[in-house]
Amino acid sequence: MLIVDCKDVLSIQNELVVYVADQVAAIPTLKHHQFTLSALEDDEVIDTNTVITAIKEYLDSIGEGFNFAVISNNDTINIKSISGKIIERETVSQPEMFSCTHCGFVTRYQVELNVHMRIHYL
C-alpha cells in the first residue's frame, strides 16, 4: 500500500486520485489530505516509480509540472510545492464521499457504506 500526500494540491486531489489509480491499476482510498493505493491482489506490489510517473504526467497535463516536486520516502509519496505555490481552484460544492477500505466501493451515503461493509464480514 502506498500513501500519496496531497496537502499542496488538495484542490485537484479527486482528479489526481482517479488518474493515478487508473494508470497503475490500483484500488484508491481517499483520506482528508491524502489518498492510498492498494494492489488489486494481496501478493502484488504497486511500483512506486509508476505512481510517481503518473503523478508527474497529470501535473504536466494541467501545466503545473514545473511548480511541484514528487518525492518518494519508503511507502509515502509527497507532492511538494517548489516555490510555495499551492494549486487553488474554485471547487463546486461536492457531496462528501465515503470509500470502503476493503475494496474501494464509493458512495455518498454513510449508511450505504455501513451496509456494504457488512458483506466483507459474512
Side-chain angles (χ1 to χ4, degrees):
M1 178 171 71
L2 287 175
I3 299 170
V4 180
D5 186 356
C6 300
K7 287 180 188 168
D8 290 353
V9 293
L10 200 54
S11 65
I12 62 166
Q13 178 181 359
N14 293 340
E15 296 93 0
L16 181 63
V17 69
V18 170
Y19 182 81
V20 173
D22 187 48
Q23 293 295 313
V24 299
I27 300 170
T29 305
L30 286 171
K31 306 265 180 152
H32 179 63
H33 58 70
Q34 65 187 20
F35 63 88
T36 60
L37 297 170
S38 302
L40 296 174
E41 300 292 329
D42 290 336
D43 58 341
E44 290 180 3
V45 176
I46 298 173
D47 183 28
T48 305
N49 292 328
T50 306
V51 174
I52 291 171
T53 301
I55 293 169
K56 287 181 179 181
E57 285 174 359
Y58 184 78
L59 291 172
D60 286 340
S61 75
I62 62 170
E64 295 288 347
F66 293 109
N67 295 324
F68 292 89
V70 183
I71 305 163
S72 173
N73 184 13
N74 296 326
D75 288 338
T76 303
I77 297 172
N78 292 307
I79 304 170
K80 289 291 184 187
S81 174
I82 295 172
S83 63
K85 175 186 174 186
I86 296 174
I87 297 176
E88 295 179 9
R89 289 188 178 172
E90 289 185 27
T91 57
V92 177
S93 178
Q94 295 180 354
E96 187 172 341
M97 301 296 281
F98 300 96
S99 176
C100 176
T101 56
H102 299 291
C103 68
F105 171 76
V106 178
T107 181
R108 294 188 330 203
Y109 307 104
Q110 178 71 41
V111 174
E112 186 176 13
L113 177 64
N114 292 341
V115 170
H116 167 83
M117 293 285 283
R118 291 181 190 156
I119 68 170
H120 293 292
Y121 299 105
L122 293 178

